[in-house]
């Protein structure tokens, strides 16, 4: 029934857009939305009951049916969280490697999939989810994975309202922690992807400062020239 409702909606949209046909539907958008939400409750309940692997499988099945919805974005984040919980709590399981591979793949999917989405709400939700997962990976000691997710967010979700500000804050934090090379890498991201932002010019000043700290006088001077 839910799949039929979704199909009917797509056929109606296609017919109206392509041929100007008006199709009367007995299934409302609100009814389809409600059925979809109910389907996403099933895996959520399984995770809450501690049936983690079953919940993950169910989530992936439902997400496959409704891939471009807010429920799917929430579901993807929950699936990653569930995998990370399994990795943390089932340390002796022979499935550890598979869980990690699956989590990495889904993180990568989320890091790109919705970045160019025309639905700004969906894009913003997905970008926020990427940032939360990056923070979770960092909290669990997976610094390389966390850095990768942050960079994917900044390079892919360039239309996210907070992306440029987040990039600038991360540069400032790296400078504060004297992580000069990390700060320089982020400066280059801002210079390539955020040329119209308020932080674009400042990134050259920050880069000049970092180059000076690592003894690269030539690039320090070049960056300062770009700044002024």
């Amino acid at each position: 029934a839910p799949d039929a409702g979704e199909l009917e909606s797509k056929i109606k949209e296609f017919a109206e857009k392509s041929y100007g046909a008006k199709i009367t539907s007995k299934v409302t958008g609100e009814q389809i939305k409600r059925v979809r939400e109910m389907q996403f409750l099933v895996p959520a309940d399984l995770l809450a009951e501690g049936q983690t692997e079953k919940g993950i499988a169910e989530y992936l099945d439902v997400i496959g049916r409704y891939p471009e919805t807010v429920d799917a974005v929430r579901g993807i984040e929950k699936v990653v969280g569930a995998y990370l919980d399994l990795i943390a709590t089932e340390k002796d399981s022979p499935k550890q490697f598979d869980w990690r591979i699956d989590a990495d793949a889904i993180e990568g999917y989320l890091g790109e999939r919705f970045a160019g989405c025309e639905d700004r709400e969906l894009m913003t939700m997905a970008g926020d989810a990427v940032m939360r997962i990056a923070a979770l990976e960092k909290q669990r000691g997976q610094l390389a994975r966390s850095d990768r997710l942050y960079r994917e967010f900044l390079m892919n979700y360039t239309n996210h309202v907070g992306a440029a500000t987040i990039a600038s804050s991360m540069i400032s934090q790296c400078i504060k922690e004297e992580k000069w090379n990390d700060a320089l890498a982020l400066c280059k991201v801002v210079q390539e992807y955020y040329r119209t932002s308020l932080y674009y010019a400042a990134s050259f000043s920050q880069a000049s400062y970092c180059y000076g700290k690592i003894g690269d006088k030539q690039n320090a001077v070049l960056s300062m020239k770009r700044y002024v």
Side-chain angles (χ1 to χ4, degrees), residues 63-221:
I63 290 168
R65 292 200 293 272
Y66 307 102
E68 295 188 19
T69 62
V70 294
D71 299 294
V73 172
R74 295 191 188 104
I76 291 167
E77 184 176 3
K78 288 181 179 180
V79 166
V80 173
Y83 272 126
L84 297 186
D85 285 343
L86 284 173
I87 292 167
T89 58
E90 304 290 337
K91 295 185 182 297
D92 297 327
S93 173
K95 298 180 181 179
Q96 276 277 330
F97 180 77
D98 291 336
W99 291 335
R100 185 67 262 183
I101 291 295
D102 289 345
D104 288 343
I106 296 170
E107 287 177 354
Y109 173 83
L110 184 61
E112 296 180 10
R113 177 63 179 82
F114 302 94
C117 187
E118 293 182 1
D119 186 331
R120 289 194 64 84
E121 179 188 6
L122 194 60
M123 179 273 294
T124 301
M125 281 186 63
D128 290 344
V130 173
M131 292 294 289
R132 285 193 294 270
I133 293 171
L136 181 58
E137 289 281 26
K138 184 176 182 178
Q139 179 186 331
R140 302 205 176 184
Q142 297 293 327
L143 302 185
R145 287 185 168 91
S146 176
D147 288 345
R148 173 178 56 78
L149 284 167
Y150 280 126
R151 286 180 63 82
E152 286 182 356
F153 168 78
L154 294 176
M155 291 187 292
N156 295 328
Y157 286 84
T158 54
N159 291 324
H160 189 289
V161 66
T165 301
I166 291 168
S168 180
S169 297
M170 290 175 67
I171 293 171
S172 297
Q173 185 62 33
C174 285
I175 291 173
K176 182 179 180 181
E177 296 175 2
E178 300 186 358
K179 296 179 179 178
W180 314 120
N181 289 320
D182 289 344
L184 284 169
L186 288 167
C187 285
K188 290 176 181 177
V189 170
V190 172
Q191 291 159 15
E192 181 174 354
Y193 295 97
Y194 298 94
R195 298 188 177 192
T196 60
S197 82
L198 297 172
Y199 306 103
Y200 177 71
S203 70
F204 288 101
S205 174
Q206 292 168 316
S208 177
Y209 179 76
C210 293
Y211 279 125
K213 285 295 184 179
I214 63 175
D216 188 342
K217 294 182 179 179
Q218 181 179 2
N219 277 315
V221 171

Side-chain angles (χ1 to χ4, degrees), residues 12-21:
K12 180 182 178 183
E13 181 182 353
F14 174 78
E16 291 180 353
K17 187 177 295 184
S18 302
Y19 303 106

Side-chain angles (χ1 to χ4, degrees), residues 8-48:
E8 180 181 21
S9 177
K10 290 177 181 178
I11 292 172
K12 180 182 178 183
E13 181 182 353
F14 174 78
E16 291 180 353
K17 187 177 295 184
S18 302
Y19 303 106
K22 295 296 181 181
I23 298 177
T24 302
S25 173
K26 295 181 180 180
V27 181
T28 67
E30 187 59 34
Q31 288 173 325
I32 294 173
K33 179 183 176 182
R34 179 57 183 157
V35 171
R36 183 179 71 237
E37 290 173 346
M38 290 176 65
Q39 288 190 74
F40 275 94
L41 286 176
V42 175
D45 288 343
L46 289 170
L47 291 185

